[in-house]
Amino acid sequence: MSLESPRGSVRSEINVTPLVDVCLVLLIIFMVVAPILHAGVKVDLPKTTQVFPLSQDPKQLTISVAQDGGVYVRSVRVASSDLPALLAEIHTAEPDRDVIVRGDRALQYETVCEVLAAVSHAGFTHVGLVTETEKAPPVAR
């Protein structure tokens, strides 16, 4: 934006108001979207009192099984018939990868077993099941 000073010379200035407006809008968008990206697929995990800490390795392969039986690999829905081939392809590319299975508590045991069988047949050896922590009931004395 150019403004003429009273003496007739041209003075250039940057108007930062639109820049600040755009930055604030982007900040709000990232604040809203970031938790959604991190959470992945909505799964109501089973609760257990005996919990082992889970390392947060970014190289872990997360497989989620939703309440409706839908299987998600890296938050992308995969058909049950395509799951073994996809897992074999991932194992070929990265054979040392750890696999984390998140299964909804309302699922039939058979559904989770089918997913675990596909993971095992693909060749993965380090597989973990994710649960939530449930507080242990107080011990009566």
Side-chain angles (χ1 to χ4, degrees):
M1 180 176 188
S2 298
L3 298 175
E4 288 194 28
S5 66
R7 291 183 249 165
S9 64
V10 177
R11 186 177 55 174
S12 297
E13 292 182 4
I14 298 174
N15 188 357
V16 295
T17 304
L19 176 66
V20 171
D21 290 343
V22 170
C23 289
L24 287 175
V25 168
L26 289 174
L27 176 66
I28 292 169
I29 290 171
F30 284 122
M31 288 173 54
V32 170
V33 172
I36 296 170
L37 292 177
H38 181 67
V41 178
K42 175 73 172 127
V43 175
D44 189 18
L45 295 171
K47 296 183 188 288
T48 58
T49 55
Q50 197 95 33
V51 179
F52 300 98
L54 181 67
S55 66
Q56 294 295 328
D57 186 4
K59 289 182 62 178
Q60 291 174 338
L61 175 63
T62 302
I63 300 173
S64 301
V65 187
Q67 186 175 5
D68 65 354
V71 179
Y72 296 82
V73 177
R74 297 183 183 135
S75 300
V76 176
R77 190 173 181 124
V78 177
S80 297
S81 58
D82 297 338
L83 183 62
L86 176 63
L87 291 175
E89 181 181 319
I90 294 171
H91 184 267
T92 301
E94 298 180 65
D96 295 335
R97 182 174 284 242
D98 294 339
V99 178
I100 303 300
V101 178
R102 303 171 67 237
D104 195 280
R105 74 170 63 188
L107 283 172
Q108 290 186 1
Y109 184 64
E110 180 181 6
T111 307
V112 176
C113 286
E114 289 171 357
V115 171
L116 290 173
V119 169
S120 178
H121 288 311
F124 291 104
T125 56
H126 299 269
V127 181
L129 296 173
V130 180
T131 61
E132 287 182 344
T133 304
E134 178 179 50
K135 292 186 179 180
V139 178
R141 293 184 182 194

